[in-house]
Amino acid sequence: MTALDLADPVAVVGTGTMGQGIAQVALVAGHPVRLYDAVPGRARAAAEAIGARLDRLVEKDRLTGADRDAARTRLSPAESLAELADSHLVVEAVLERLDVKQQLLRELEEIVTHDCLLATNTSSLSVTAIGGALRNPGRFVGLHFFNPAPLLPLVEVVSGFATDVTSATRAYETARAWGKTPVACADTPGFIVNRIARPFYAEAFAVYEAQAADPATIDAVLRESGGFKMGAFELTDLIGQDVNEAVTRSVWEAFFQDVRFTPSLAQRRLVESGRHGRKTGRGWYAYGDDAERPEPHTAEKAQPPAYVVVEGGLGPAADLLPLIREAGIQVREDEEDNGTRLVLPSGGQLALADGQTSVEFRDVVYFDLALDYRKATRIALSASQDTQSATLAEATGLFQALGKHVSVIGDVPGSIVARTVARIIDLAHDAVTKGVATEEDIDTAMRLGVNYPLGPFEWSRKLGKGWAYDVLDEMHLRDPSGRYAPSLALYRHAYASDKREGTTS
């Protein structure tokens, strides 16, 4: 089954931001497009708004004047659903309520031809449940665009339980013909992106709720050490706290209140107070002309150690060793030791965050995971009240000598980036095992849908196949609620033999 022909009309029902965006994508691709909205006048207003955006594309040399004029002739508002009768694809982008969507689709089914593809842009409802209202749910599919639809390339093509393979394939190929990057996904709560992205927000909020760090510091560490484009607090302010919290709650409830997806009480209080982010002028941060953005906690200048002793290597943080040498700090190696840490002149130790806490040991400072230790501009250090001040000072001075800002946070297992990445990797492995999507599509979805620096499986390969399991297993020992319990899929991945080498790791 191939994509729709360009002569095939496409209809969009619902003319809000997403509806207009989807209509513009289909229109610029070359289709005749019809717009319908239940509120009189909205479809015509939406057509005018799309025309204005086409004008701006011409001004920016992204569209020729001739192509704009041709597109305008193909765009028409409809005053009734009956005017959509000859459409080959109808995408609904109406209110996120199951009963509303089901009623609309029942009406459409009576109007369109038997081979018309019906689609929903839902981001939180079950495609299977929406399609359950149809006599022929086999032709119904999810086409989840990301906002703004004309700019973001990702489209999740979601197959409901009753969706025919031919319908899903046709939707997939049509999205690709429109210049999008489609990924195939089974109908699961949150699909790919909204399912696997939950720890990015949840772990940042958990560190905040533990009073280990403030939002500005957590965001800075996620950006400057983790390589994420935005931190969790600033991103949810941009999305809207009410919107982000509603998606989290929807996924949690759809998974029968699975503790891994538990919403944040701190975010709930933010929503209840009406602080929804940028759109209300205040969320985690204040916005407006006079608003001042809080600065992340940055440690004062400290003296670097004259030398460090590396015991057993540093695993995923091994790239630090040449940086330390380049900074003029002597690196002594103790190859007989099986540990993975640095011993400082004070006798204290510096170790990569591994899910344990500093207070458990005599004198240990944990440092956070970085996407690239050479390019990272900030590192989080985690210490307890029992950590020797000399040890923390030497650890701080060491990273400052490498050109990094240092943020000292509370004694939380897994620091900030490490716990976040470990949980994302775990949910991704679990999703593949349960048939949600392929590894390749999950990596693509997370890079394009939420702009992650690496997909979960790219992270997993970079860090080593046992790394995420070990971190979460240690965290689970310290928080046996089940939130950090590694999935069976991650366990199998961590302990599966490498047939090419004939060993296990």
Side-chain angles (χ1 to χ4, degrees), residues 6 10 13 88 158 162 167 180 208 226 249 264 272 323 354 398 421-423 430 464 473 475 481 502:
L6 291 182
V10 172
V13 180
H88 287 239
V158 185
S167 298
K180 296 301 181 181
Y208 168 76
R249 186 169 295 275
S264 161
E272 290 173 339
L323 297 182
D354 59 4
L398 173 65
V421 170
R423 287 207 61 214
D430 186 53
D473 192 42
M475 292 188 70
S481 65

Side-chain angles (χ1 to χ4, degrees), residues 225 310 312-325 331 340-342 350-354 366-374 379 398-399 402 404 418 459 462-464 467:
S225 183
V310 58
L314 292 179
D319 288 345
L320 279 174
L321 298 179
L323 297 182
I324 294 172
R325 292 187 177 97
V331 176
T340 53
R341 57 191 178 270
L342 295 174
L350 185 60
L352 175 63
D354 59 4
Y366 282 103
F367 65 92
D368 206 353
L369 179 69
L371 172 67
D372 184 325
Y373 282 101
R374 184 173 290 276
I379 292 293
L398 173 65
F399 280 102
L402 306 186
K404 319 299 182 188
W459 269 112
K462 174 183 175 68
L463 298 170
W467 178 85

Side-chain angles (χ1 to χ4, degrees), residues 345-464:
S346 64
Q349 298 177 0
L350 185 60
L352 175 63
D354 59 4
Q356 301 182 82
T357 55
S358 181
V359 75
E360 301 170 52
F361 304 97
R362 186 184 64 81
D363 196 15
V364 171
V365 172
Y366 282 103
F367 65 92
D368 206 353
L369 179 69
L371 172 67
D372 184 325
Y373 282 101
R374 184 173 290 276
K375 295 180 180 178
T377 57
R378 183 176 299 273
I379 292 293
L381 299 182
S382 177
S384 76
Q385 66 273 20
D386 296 331
T387 303
Q388 298 297 315
S389 58
T391 299
L392 183 56
E394 287 179 336
T396 300
L398 173 65
F399 280 102
Q400 289 173 339
L402 306 186
K404 319 299 182 188
H405 295 298
V406 174
S407 292
V408 179
I409 67 172
D411 188 19
V412 287
S415 195
I416 297 171
V417 179
R419 67 195 289 161
T420 300
V421 170
R423 287 207 61 214
I424 289 171
I425 289 172
D426 183 41
L427 289 188
H429 277 280
D430 186 53
V432 168
T433 298
K434 292 178 178 173
V436 173
T438 65
E439 291 186 8
E440 293 77 13
D441 276 357
I442 288 175
D443 275 353
T444 297
M446 302 313 291
R447 281 189 284 99
L448 298 184
V450 278
N451 212 11
Y452 283 4
L454 294 176
F457 294 97
E458 293 172 318
W459 269 112
S460 186
R461 288 188 290 271
K462 174 183 175 68
L463 298 170

Side-chain angles (χ1 to χ4, degrees), residues 160-215:
F161 187 77
T163 302
D164 291 336
V165 173
T166 53
S167 298
T169 302
R170 191 179 191 195
Y172 184 99
E173 294 300 334
T174 296
R176 185 157 63 178
W178 290 357
K180 296 301 181 181
T181 302
V183 291
C185 175
D187 184 23
T188 184
F191 310 141
I192 297 174
V193 172
N194 280 331
R195 172 178 178 153
I196 295 173
R198 290 355 288 164
F200 180 74
Y201 314 109
E203 294 312 306
F205 298 160
V207 172
Y208 168 76
E209 289 173 339
Q211 301 186 54
D214 61 274

Side-chain angles (χ1 to χ4, degrees), residues 123-177:
S123 62
S124 60
L125 299 176
S126 164
V127 172
T128 300
I130 299 171
L134 297 171
R135 291 195 308 274
N136 176 21
R139 62 167 165 174
F140 181 66
V141 66
L143 277 177
H144 181 214
F145 289 77
F146 288 74
N147 191 31
L151 297 180
L152 295 186
L154 184 70
V155 178
E156 292 177 319
V157 181
V158 185
S159 294
F161 187 77
T163 302
D164 291 336
V165 173
T166 53
S167 298
T169 302
R170 191 179 191 195
Y172 184 99
E173 294 300 334
T174 296
R176 185 157 63 178

Side-chain angles (χ1 to χ4, degrees), residues 240-365:
Q241 297 301 331
D242 53 336
V243 174
N244 181 261
E245 201 256 359
V247 172
T248 298
R249 186 169 295 275
S250 173
V251 172
W252 174 62
E253 291 175 348
F255 276 114
F256 308 106
Q257 300 185 354
D258 186 329
V259 69
R260 295 176 302 166
F261 301 101
T262 300
S264 161
L265 182 59
Q267 188 181 36
R268 176 94 291 257
R269 293 291 178 259
L270 204 65
V271 173
E272 290 173 339
S273 70
R275 297 182 174 187
H276 294 172
R278 288 180 179 270
K279 62 187 177 183
T280 62
R282 188 171 182 86
W284 295 109
Y285 304 110
Y287 299 91
D289 295 337
D290 299 327
E292 293 186 8
R293 184 68 174 266
E295 293 294 323
H297 169 75
T298 302
E300 296 292 334
K301 187 70 175 177
Q303 186 69 25
Y307 68 90
V308 294
V309 179
V310 58
E311 296 184 343
L314 292 179
D319 288 345
L320 279 174
L321 298 179
L323 297 182
I324 294 172
R325 292 187 177 97
E326 291 168 17
I329 299 172
Q330 183 183 10
V331 176
R332 304 173 184 175
E333 297 190 21
D334 185 352
E335 297 181 355
E336 294 183 2
D337 196 285
N338 292 322
T340 53
R341 57 191 178 270
L342 295 174
V343 179
L344 300 165
S346 64
Q349 298 177 0
L350 185 60
L352 175 63
D354 59 4
Q356 301 182 82
T357 55
S358 181
V359 75
E360 301 170 52
F361 304 97
R362 186 184 64 81
D363 196 15
V364 171
V365 172

